[in-house]
Amino acid sequence: MTGSPFGPASHPETLDPVTARAYGKINAFLAVGPLQDDGYHDLVTVFQSLDLAETVTLVPAEDFSVTLSGRYADTTVPLDSSNLGLAAVLALAEATGTTIPVEVAIEKNVPVAGGMGGGSADAAAALVAYAHLIGCTDRDLIAEVARGLGADVPFALRGGTALGTGRGDELSPVLGRGEFHWVLATSTGRLSTPEVYRRLDELRAAGSSTTGADAGPGAGAAEAGPADPAAVLRALGTADPEALAGALHNDMTDAAIDLLPDIAHVMDTGMRAGALRALVSGSGPTVGFLARDHTHALEIAVLLEASRGVRQVVRTTGPAGGAHLVPPPAAA
Ligand code: C5P
């Protein structure tokens, strides 16, 4: 596909802005296998999207740029082409041969670099918005561009609850029932995803991680609880938070705590506040605490907010949806 059905790209500012939204996620189950030749690890993971939205508005302009607003707009988010929202637009422009420049205005409501998939949600929302703007309806092409942007981007496009294999980007839908209540707590530090994967490999090589790569994904048990995705899948289908609490698992927990010991303190604090279970989200450092219901989540959040070493506390629910267009406000 080349060009745009909207007219000459030399006057892009005459096009209307397009807004799309996508959601953060938690990995209810994450088993990490050995490092592959392509620099990625084979995963078995169960994603659930959370009702924490990234909203991306593309405003046709003379040049490509990024601006930030929202609760988590901060100086550590890049404003160049390494920004996943802008990278997504540039990748789809290149894949379709389109040259319509836009300002990518991102409203961030997912904690940054927290293992919550906020950057991937920016990419997914930007893809949906830019595809609409340029009139691209080729879903296979959009899915291919999504995979090229990052292992979690395909899930951010799809949302809901899904089993991920391969790099985490080969998805199968999972039938979820009901709504789960989570309290998320960020500690004061940050973690880079590749660094946590590297430390996990180092700990395994030194024999000091309780998670074994040799036996493949799901073999180890870094936390109490079985490393069995079947148990998580069953629990997600029963809408029973107590069952889900017993089945949550993350192989990256040891490596994340090794790099940022404050995580262990945050986990203890939430458990003392009565959470059913503490779970490092993805590569961390955000910790998710599973609650029985809305009231229980409120109680846990209040106690966490009053605790030393906890930076931010957010209540949310899952599952949420996939990336979608947000209609413009109705004309008055
Ligand atoms: O694909 P994404 O950009 O999210 O991945 C960031 C980094 O995390 C990769 O470059 C790789 O080092 C690591 N990673 C991995 N195995 C995966 C996913 C990510 O080692 N399945």
Side-chain angles (χ1 to χ4, degrees):
M1 195 186 105
T2 55
S4 159
F6 292 91
S10 53
H11 297 292
E13 59 278 14
T14 59
L15 299 176
D16 286 335
V18 177
T19 299
R21 194 162 281 157
Y23 297 86
K25 55 83 189 170
I26 194 157
N27 300 80
F29 182 90
L30 179 53
V32 182
L35 179 65
Q36 305 295 305
D37 291 344
D38 62 3
Y40 279 77
H41 295 74
D42 270 348
L43 305 182
V44 176
T45 188
V46 179
F47 295 103
Q48 181 155 84
S49 60
L50 298 176
D51 191 17
L52 289 176
E54 298 280 278
T55 304
V56 175
T57 300
L58 302 184
V59 185
E62 284 186 10
D63 281 311
F64 289 100
S65 64
V66 189
T67 58
L68 294 178
S69 63
R71 182 169 181 185
Y72 295 104
D74 71 29
T75 51
T76 62
V77 178
L79 297 176
D80 58 18
S81 59
S82 67
N83 179 291
L84 272 174
L86 177 55
V89 165
L90 294 173
L92 189 58
E94 190 182 339
T96 56
T98 312
T99 51
I100 298 182
V102 287
E103 175 198 328
V104 181
I106 302 175
E107 188 190 321
K108 292 201 74 65
N109 288 303
V110 177
V112 175
M116 306 299 309
S120 299
D122 295 342
L127 279 182
V128 166
Y130 200 61
H132 182 77
L133 188 85
I134 65 177
C136 171
T137 53
D138 185 341
R139 294 170 75 109
D140 290 343
L141 179 71
I142 295 168
E144 191 186 315
V145 171
R147 264 199 305 280
L149 289 161
D152 289 346
V153 180
F155 176 73
L157 263 186
R158 179 195 286 242
T161 306
L163 178 71
T165 54
R167 293 177 173 190
D169 58 357
E170 291 163 26
L171 300 174
S172 316
V174 167
L175 207 59
R177 270 187 51 218
E179 189 180 57
F180 291 96
H181 293 261
W182 293 93
V183 180
L184 308 175
T186 56
S187 44
T188 35
R190 295 207 165 165
L191 288 175
S192 118
T193 299
E195 210 180 312
V196 183
Y197 275 105
R198 244 192 327 271
R199 184 54 61 98
L200 175 58
D201 293 337
E202 287 164 7
L203 290 175
R204 283 174 166 173
S208 51
S209 171
T210 50
T211 60
D214 291 346
E223 311 167 88
D228 177 8
V232 170
L233 298 175
R234 266 196 309 274
L236 288 165
T238 60
D240 176 357
E242 311 262 357
L244 182 60
L248 297 171
H249 177 79
N250 185 355
D251 268 359
M252 297 185 89
T253 307
D254 286 356
I257 292 176
D258 192 67
L259 289 165
L260 197 59
D262 274 359
I263 293 173
H265 168 73
V266 173
M267 292 174 87
D268 284 349
T269 306
M271 291 309 289
R272 279 202 306 275
L276 296 178
R277 186 78 187 272
L279 175 75
V280 171
S281 177
S283 57
T286 303
V287 179
F289 296 99
L290 189 60
R292 267 189 304 276
D293 51 31
H294 175 78
T295 310
H296 189 209
L298 265 175
E299 287 164 14
I300 296 166
V302 167
L303 289 167
L304 274 168
E305 264 160 9
S307 304
R308 184 183 51 83
V310 175
R311 192 162 60 112
Q312 275 150 334
V313 179
V314 193
R315 276 181 301 114
T316 186
T317 57
H324 59 92
L325 290 171
V326 178

